[in-house]
Amino acid sequence: MTTVPGQLVWEIVKKNNSFLVKEFGNGTQSVQFSKEPNNLYNLNSYKHSGLANKKTVTIQPAGKEQAVLLATTKTKKQSKPASLLNKSILKKEFNRMAKAVVNQVASNYYRPDLKKAALARLSAVNRSLKVSKSGVKKKNRQVSRVYGRK
Amino acid sequence: MLPCFSLQLNHAEMAAAARPLVTVQSLESDMATDATGIPLPSVMKASIRPDIVNFVHSNISKNSRQPYAVSRKAGHQTSAESWGTGRAVSRIPRVAGGGTHRAGQGAFGNMCRGGRMFAPTRIWRRWHRKINVNQKRYAVVSAIAASAVPSLVMARGHRIENVPELPLVVNDSIEGVEKTKNAISVLKQVGAFSDVEKAKDSVSIRPGKGKMRNRRYIGRKGPLIVYGNEGVKLVKAFRNIPGVEIANVDRLNLLKLAPGGHVGRFIIWTKSAFEKLDSIYGSFEKTSEKKKGYVLPRAKMENADLARIINSDEVQSVVRPIKKEVKRATMKKNPLKNLNTMLRLNPYAKTAKRMAVLAEEQRKKAKKEKLDSKRKPVSKEESAKIKAASKSWYKTMISDSDYAEFDVFTKWLGVSQ
């Protein structure tokens, strides 16, 4: 196990990695996203990076409907990718899930700077699960006539 | 010389203290061995220099090129001569003779159809590049070190979510695997199969002319299996799996360790290969046994963990406290308009102003009184007083003046003395 510090890894990885997505614009105007699973905002930045940090949080849909997977990385097992994550599946209603997320991320001082990001991602994932469950909104093709006064 | 921080151990201590053990993964058919593990070879602690790797990689990959060039005679197999001036045609050399289309056509120039190209490519172009041995070794060492960092391997795109440990060391029994079928099951046991699957799914036809030039298919790279002993059977078993490559520890190739110049290939070591690494590359103090006089490169910063350094006692105890309040630029206010800024500059201004105000009030009052008294109609007593005063004044004026020919005037004025 080599404890290569996050700063070093970030310097190597920030410009060039397989998860990097540069979109919407030319040169300095574009946003840089990052597709790795441990990134809460999917932004390519040191703070949010899932590659360069020892402690990361990830929130993802967990397959079954309305179930969200919350996972944090264990700091001691950095070189064992298979057993890196503390996974837990959240299935309750939203408020309970939010509380659980806050507990895991901020209240135990794990990564208090990611609290907002974690909650934001949780609500986004939750919403997407709701949408996937009920199907994408079908737009009524026919123009609806408004019957009213002429 | 940098001061030695207490959390930075010097070389000897670091080598001994920070050499974690790497467990050897055993395959199903093995007998359960005592799982102590092998200490991490020092190569994996070398500094990771993607810039050096990129440079060396780009130069090394030039070495297997085959020369290409245009024929030496191309475009010159004519006996063309310029017609000179005076013939209403441009002056490029034209093909002599007659009776065919070719006659009179331009020749020799790069702009002519059928002429030689500009700067015809030559075979004596410098195809191969020489790279210093030390640089080559630095690059290989860097690439090996990078392969031990899960973040970097993931960043390169390998699927290592299910790999039990990085660097991945497998028991030597893998060297005896003969059939590809078994090889695949071994990879599955070890958690490397998702990477192989990714490589297999990615095989596609190359875009571009390469496909007609014997480079038809391209695909991602999977794991690299490094073995330690010669003539081992695993080579034949694993070589047909798409994406998987094999290498002997004694002959590690940078082009395989860092494909595309990008560090962090997923490497599967056999136990004997892993143990050999120390003797091949040496350590930071001990010279290598196989490479004469070679010592692992030293890093510019021994401890690159900035966060820890900044938060360490040594640094924090000497650092001044954070300035929380930010001093912002104050807006300039005009003293002539803004009383407080005037007072800040000239405190006397207050009393001066006050005096001026009071004086103004006095003046106003005095004027008002004067005007009022003037505008008020004069009362009877006052007007009588005024008249009497003016009469008496006139009398005194007469008596004072002592005018002799007063008689003449008495007739005029009609005044009786």
Side-chain angles (χ1 to χ4, degrees):
Chain A
M1 172 186 87
T2 26
T3 41
V4 177
Q7 302 270 15
L8 220 201
V9 171
W10 178 241
E11 288 299 315
I12 298 175
V13 160
K14 67 183 177 189
K15 274 204 206 152
N16 195 350
N17 65 66
S18 79
F19 304 108
L20 182 57
V21 173
K22 290 188 185 176
E23 294 248 321
F24 303 131
N26 303 311
T28 44
Q29 263 186 329
S30 65
V31 216
Q32 287 192 357
F33 294 117
S34 192
K35 288 191 292 200
E36 76 245 21
N38 287 349
N39 191 329
L40 278 181
Y41 269 159
N42 278 357
L43 270 185
N44 193 37
S45 74
Y46 178 60
K47 178 161 146 179
H48 299 110
S49 160
L51 297 170
N53 287 312
K54 261 208 276 190
K55 300 185 186 178
T56 68
V57 180
T58 181
I59 291 181
Q60 274 157 4
K64 281 206 227 142
E65 35 178 326
Q66 303 290 31
V68 171
L69 174 79
L70 163 71
T72 56
T73 53
K74 304 180 206 166
T75 52
K76 301 272 172 160
K77 293 247 162 78
Q78 284 293 319
S79 69
K80 300 180 169 43
S83 55
L84 235 203
L85 294 172
N86 278 321
K87 294 193 191 152
S88 62
I89 300 202
L90 307 168
K91 246 191 290 190
K92 311 276 172 144
E93 36 151 20
F94 189 71
N95 282 328
R96 294 258 195 97
M97 288 203 278
K99 208 153 183 233
V101 165
V102 170
N103 280 343
Q104 279 291 15
V105 170
S107 309
N108 56 358
Y109 301 104
Y110 182 69
R111 279 274 242 137
D113 56 332
L114 287 185
K115 180 171 90 160
K116 269 204 182 152
L119 287 175
R121 195 180 175 92
L122 176 65
S123 45
V125 168
N126 206 25
R127 177 167 281 272
S128 76
L129 285 174
K130 271 196 220 159
V131 169
S132 71
K133 183 176 172 195
S134 68
V136 182
K137 233 181 176 175
K138 281 179 257 183
K139 297 254 155 125
N140 206 348
R141 281 294 202 80
Q142 276 214 334
V143 173
S144 54
R145 280 201 69 191
V146 175
Y147 292 98
R149 305 173 66 141
K150 269 225 177 138
Chain B
M1 266 302 252
L2 279 174
C4 197
F5 296 129
S6 66
L7 50 81
Q8 167 197 342
L9 308 165
N10 56 41
H11 269 307
E13 285 172 34
M14 191 164 84
R19 297 259 249 120
L21 295 177
V22 182
T23 53
V24 179
Q25 314 297 327
S26 58
L27 312 168
E28 262 171 11
S29 46
D30 291 348
M31 259 86 70
T33 40
D34 49 338
T36 45
I38 315 177
L40 194 77
S42 321
V43 214
M44 309 224 160
K45 296 233 141 214
S47 48
I48 300 177
R49 294 272 247 119
D51 53 332
I52 293 188
V53 172
N54 198 13
F55 173 75
V56 174
H57 175 93
S58 57
N59 284 323
I60 288 190
S61 48
K62 293 181 186 166
N63 287 344
S64 62
R65 286 145 109 198
Q66 287 186 346
Y68 62 85
V70 150
S71 164
R72 291 276 259 143
K73 299 188 277 187
H76 282 284
Q77 299 187 61
T78 40
S79 59
E81 277 225 40
S82 169
W83 287 355
T85 47
R87 296 252 234 135
V89 290
S90 68
R91 292 180 277 176
I92 20 112
R94 292 176 181 279
V95 176
T100 141
H101 279 294
R102 185 68 175 136
Q105 283 180 347
F108 288 154
N110 52 313
M111 60 282 217
C112 302
R113 178 178 178 275
R116 133 205 57 74
M117 64 181 271
F118 162 71
T121 48
R122 300 291 193 208
I123 50 166
W124 59 80
R125 175 194 301 213
R126 192 168 71 106
W127 301 101
H128 306 98
R129 294 284 182 274
K130 189 173 80 132
I131 311 110
N132 303 336
V133 173
N134 204 19
Q135 275 185 341
K136 286 195 273 201
R137 287 177 181 165
Y138 202 135
V140 170
V141 152
S142 241
I144 296 178
S147 77
V149 182
S151 301
L152 295 180
V153 181
M154 263 177 54
R156 207 190 154 273
H158 293 287
R159 296 265 171 279
I160 49 169
E161 285 87 18
N162 293 318
V163 168
E165 182 170 7
L166 257 208
L168 184 60
V169 183
V170 187
N171 205 329
D172 274 342
S173 55
I174 199 181
E175 294 187 352
V177 168
E178 272 202 58
K179 303 285 281 175
T180 308
K181 206 161 54 168
N182 302 334
I184 293 189
S185 65
V186 161
L187 288 176
K188 283 192 184 148
Q189 285 166 35
V190 148
F193 197 60
S194 39
D195 206 21
V196 174
E197 276 182 327
K198 169 202 90 170
K200 174 152 168 278
D201 292 336
S202 67
V203 169
S204 61
I205 297 190
R206 182 190 294 266
K209 287 278 178 356
K211 58 168 138 353
M212 321 181 200
R213 297 179 179 174
N214 307 329
R215 287 171 245 134
R216 195 166 178 87
Y217 295 102
I218 43 169
R220 306 289 93 76
K221 297 267 182 209
L224 171 72
I225 305 194
V226 180
Y227 61 92
N229 306 313
E230 288 297 343
V232 101
K233 294 197 193 122
L234 81 82
V235 176
K236 288 214 183 142
F238 279 91
R239 71 184 181 190
N240 203 23
I241 309 176
V244 170
E245 284 173 338
I246 21 247
N248 189 323
V249 210
D250 300 318
R251 304 181 283 278
L252 283 174
N253 186 356
L254 183 68
L255 303 174
K256 300 253 160 64
L257 291 175
H262 299 135
V263 290
R265 177 105 188 243
F266 176 30
I267 302 183
I268 302 179
W269 306 89
T270 62
K271 185 152 165 285
S272 34
F274 208 63
E275 285 161 347
K276 266 193 174 181
L277 274 180
D278 243 341
S279 64
I280 297 179
Y281 292 101
S283 74
F284 294 99
E285 277 103 43
K286 201 169 62 107
T287 58
S288 134
E289 286 151 31
K290 305 284 169 60
K291 303 185 196 293
K292 195 159 66 167
Y294 180 68
V295 154
L296 285 177
R298 294 179 54 171
K300 268 281 182 282
M301 253 182 111
E302 282 298 337
N303 179 13
D305 198 340
L306 280 180
R308 262 193 98 188
I309 294 178
I310 293 174
N311 289 323
S312 72
D313 291 333
E314 292 88 345
V315 171
Q316 288 294 320
S317 60
V318 201
V319 135
R320 65 153 165 77
I322 301 178
K323 280 189 188 158
K324 277 283 164 124
E325 25 179 276
V326 183
K327 197 173 181 191
R328 302 219 182 262
T330 51
M331 192 182 214
K332 178 182 189 276
K333 299 199 177 202
N334 188 358
L336 297 176
K337 292 192 196 173
N338 189 311
L339 178 65
N340 280 322
T341 47
M342 181 57 150
L343 294 183
R344 217 178 293 147
L345 294 165
N346 175 17
Y348 181 68
K350 192 167 191 178
T351 57
K353 261 214 172 102
R354 191 186 306 132
M355 297 272 113
V357 168
L358 289 176
E360 176 70 17
E361 274 180 23
Q362 294 284 33
R363 257 182 266 127
K364 266 206 197 139
K365 200 161 112 207
K367 182 165 184 183
K368 185 162 185 289
E369 276 175 4
K370 193 160 163 218
L371 281 180
D372 278 347
S373 69
K374 282 245 168 98
R375 288 176 183 159
K376 207 169 48 186
V378 184
S379 63
K380 282 219 171 109
E381 301 100 22
E382 282 197 13
S383 59
K385 255 199 242 162
I386 291 171
K387 276 210 172 118
S390 60
K391 269 204 182 123
S392 64
W393 185 81
Y394 181 68
K395 282 200 181 107
T396 54
M397 201 181 76
I398 295 173
S399 61
D400 283 347
S401 68
D402 203 335
Y403 187 51
E405 288 159 11
F406 185 65
D407 302 336
V408 185
F409 279 91
T410 48
K411 281 184 194 145
W412 283 18
L413 293 173
V415 172
S416 54
Q417 257 285 75

